[in-house]
Amino acid sequence: PHPAHPRRLVSAMFRSLRVFNYRLWFAGALVSNTGAWMQRTAQDWIVLTELTDRDAAALGITMALQFGPLLLLMPVAGLMADRFDRRRLLMWTQGIQCALALGLGLLVVSGHAQLWQVYVFALLLGIATAIDAPARQAFVSELVTDADLSNAVALNSTSFQSARLVGPAVAGVLIAWIGSGPVFLINALSFAGVLASLAFIRRKELVASPRLIRARGQIRDGLHYVRTRGDLVVTLVAVFLVGTFGFNFPIFISTMSTVEFGKGATEFGLLSSIMAAGAVTGSLLAARRTRARLVVAVAASAAFGLACVLGAIAPTYWLFAVTLVLIGVASLTMMTTANAYVQTTTDPAFRGRVMALYLAIFAGGTPIGAPIVGWVANVYGPRWALAIGAASGLIAAVIAGFWMLRRRNRLIAESAVPLPAAPSSPEDRELATQEIAIVESTTDRTS
């Protein structure tokens, strides 16, 4: 086949942006995500330097209050995403987050902010974010058709990682220039982008999504649906392993930079930016693919493990920086592909609850893995902490790859069962054709 023209590759990479609704949503989300990263940086700064004397425990409490609801409320939040109009639900959650940013910003600017108030705002923001997250994930499927859903999910990751690259840097400059309080106010203003996009979306062009009728046991039904899908179970297991023990980049980067290479804050910040640049690249590479395949997520998980091995043995600062690019590309390729695979293969009626479970597993593992990885870094050194990250990627790849191999062998064995030589009636011929199609489509989906 002839090599693809560069313009065609770029066009395929950003094909979801051809859709007016998604283009509007993407622009608003990019502005809002940048503001959110700015606020997160300013919040950490005031807790450590203005409201306490560099009390890391206070910062830990703030983070626990903000991210704890994401784990605890996910079952209910997923049910809400399946039951209610997602656009209206997002307008409420985004509006509440805007009001919270405005309130905290006014307290800080006026000089009346106290630590307990930051705790309260962090908890309320965590509750709003927990309800917002699965609805926001599932809402993408209403903006584009199934043919572009994988691309749209990847571009969402690109938006988030781009904001992660820009937001903290801009916040640092603004804090030094005008103080931390205005950063919260700027974040409140940034919500205007996503609220405007939700208000001006062409509702007639939204892809219809079934609404869940109120009934008992619907959370349990969502869990049962996942249990009956072996491919979803193995994907969630891989996401848990890598998300829990591999996605501890602040620990890896900070300890390698300071302990192993004896560098300062500037070099540490540069490594973080290099890592984010690799992550953006991984998201864009995932956006080029026309469909999310489980085999790509498995290969990316193995590549992540190998890249962490290279990082753990890197002898110099700059060689370690190079491995961070590889780690960023592999990690985002793995997670973006897994996210898109779960979304595109899940029954639309269960999508909100399944995505809530996905997010709970991904985010909920951090409180488990981070202390373990941090303890290993303190006791045995940061290179061994990176080795744990490497093991998580390699073990996840082995588990998922073994399941795929067994599944494929079983499907091949089932498809090899001889069919009747000549079905005697049109009904028999149609039934035989359907059975073959089911086996072939299931094999293709898992591969």
Side-chain angles (χ1 to χ4, degrees):
H2 297 289
H5 193 278
R7 287 186 179 179
R8 293 180 181 177
L9 291 178
V10 173
S11 177
M13 188 178 293
F14 298 100
R15 61 185 180 275
S16 295
L17 294 177
R18 299 170 183 167
V19 181
F20 173 81
N21 280 346
Y22 183 77
R23 188 164 62 246
L24 194 63
W25 166 260
F26 180 88
L30 180 60
V31 173
S32 181
N33 284 334
T34 302
W37 277 105
M38 290 171 61
Q39 171 161 327
R40 186 174 300 179
T41 303
Q43 180 178 276
D44 293 348
W45 180 261
I46 64 171
V47 169
L48 279 175
T49 64
E50 298 180 19
L51 303 179
T52 69
D53 185 17
R54 301 189 180 276
D55 187 349
L59 181 58
I61 292 173
T62 305
M63 294 179 63
L65 290 171
Q66 186 166 334
F67 296 106
L70 196 65
L71 176 61
L72 298 177
L73 296 180
M74 273 302 167
V76 176
L79 187 60
M80 293 174 67
D82 282 336
R83 183 176 294 173
F84 301 122
D85 183 296
R86 290 165 186 160
R87 188 186 72 90
R88 291 183 179 274
L89 183 60
L90 286 171
M91 292 189 75
W92 276 103
T93 56
Q94 293 290 313
I96 291 171
Q97 291 179 68
C98 175
L100 291 171
L102 178 61
L104 184 55
L106 291 174
L107 281 173
V108 177
V109 168
S110 64
H112 294 96
Q114 300 179 36
L115 185 60
W116 70 268
Q117 293 170 332
V118 176
Y119 287 164
V120 172
F121 274 92
L123 176 61
L124 294 176
L125 181 61
I127 293 172
T129 302
I131 297 173
D132 176 269
R136 182 159 30 88
Q137 293 277 336
F139 184 59
V140 177
S141 64
E142 299 183 26
L143 299 173
V144 297
T145 62
D146 286 346
D148 290 330
L149 183 55
S150 176
N151 176 257
V153 170
L155 289 182
N156 276 359
S157 295
T158 303
S159 170
F160 183 81
Q161 294 301 324
S162 299
R164 181 184 179 186
L165 184 63
V166 175
V170 173
V173 172
L174 290 177
I175 290 171
W177 182 32
I178 56 177
S180 54
V183 175
F184 293 94
L185 300 180
I186 293 173
N187 180 42
L189 184 62
S190 75
F191 280 99
V194 70
L195 288 172
S197 71
L198 289 168
F200 290 105
I201 272 176
R202 297 171 181 170
R203 280 174 278 180
K204 292 183 179 180
E205 296 180 10
L206 291 174
V207 179
S209 179
R211 291 287 171 263
L212 195 64
I213 300 174
R214 185 182 182 88
R216 291 184 177 181
Q218 291 174 327
I219 295 177
R220 184 174 62 251
D221 291 343
L223 295 174
H224 176 72
Y225 173 80
V226 173
R227 284 199 302 270
T228 61
R229 289 277 307 277
D231 56 335
L232 292 186
V233 172
V234 76
T235 302
L236 293 176
V237 169
V239 167
F240 173 77
L241 287 173
V242 177
T244 300
F245 300 104
F247 272 51
N248 293 290
F249 303 127
I251 297 175
F252 298 150
I253 295 174
S254 62
T255 55
M256 286 292 289
S257 176
T258 58
V259 176
E260 285 295 319
F261 302 120
K263 302 297 182 179
T266 301
E267 292 85 356
F268 165 65
L270 178 60
L271 289 180
S272 298
S273 297
I274 290 173
M275 171 75 192
V280 171
T281 303
S283 299
L284 289 174
L285 290 175
R288 286 179 51 188
R289 301 182 184 93
T290 57
R291 186 174 57 170
R293 293 179 178 273
L294 189 56
V295 67
V296 175
V298 175
S301 178
F304 171 77
L306 294 175
C308 286
V309 170
L310 293 177
I313 63 176
T316 67
Y317 171 87
W318 288 111
L319 285 177
F320 178 69
V322 172
T323 66
L324 285 182
V325 176
L326 303 177
I327 291 172
V329 171
S331 62
L332 260 293
T333 298
M334 188 261 180
M335 285 302 174
T336 300
T337 305
N339 185 312
Y341 179 82
V342 172
Q343 287 215 52
T344 55
T345 63
T346 295
D347 187 324
F350 291 92
R351 189 168 283 150
R353 283 165 288 176
V354 172
M355 290 312 301
L357 180 60
Y358 175 94
L359 292 170
I361 287 175
F362 178 64
T366 300
I368 301 172
I372 296 174
V373 173
W375 176 81
V376 170
N378 285 336
V379 176
Y380 298 102
R383 295 185 185 276
W384 282 105
L386 259 173
I388 292 180
S392 71
L394 295 174
I395 292 173
V398 169
I399 292 174
F402 182 71
W403 179 87
M404 289 177 61
L405 183 62
R406 287 190 59 187
R407 178 67 172 171
R408 177 176 285 274
N409 289 340
R410 193 174 79 178
L411 289 172
I412 291 174
E414 291 174 354
S415 64
V417 176
L419 296 172
S424 57
S425 67
E427 292 80 6
D428 291 337
R429 288 194 294 271
E430 181 179 357
L431 180 60
T433 302
Q434 290 176 353
E435 290 175 347
I436 295 173
I438 290 172
V439 171
E440 290 178 345
S441 64
T442 307
T443 305
D444 181 62
R445 186 177 66 184
T446 56
S447 64

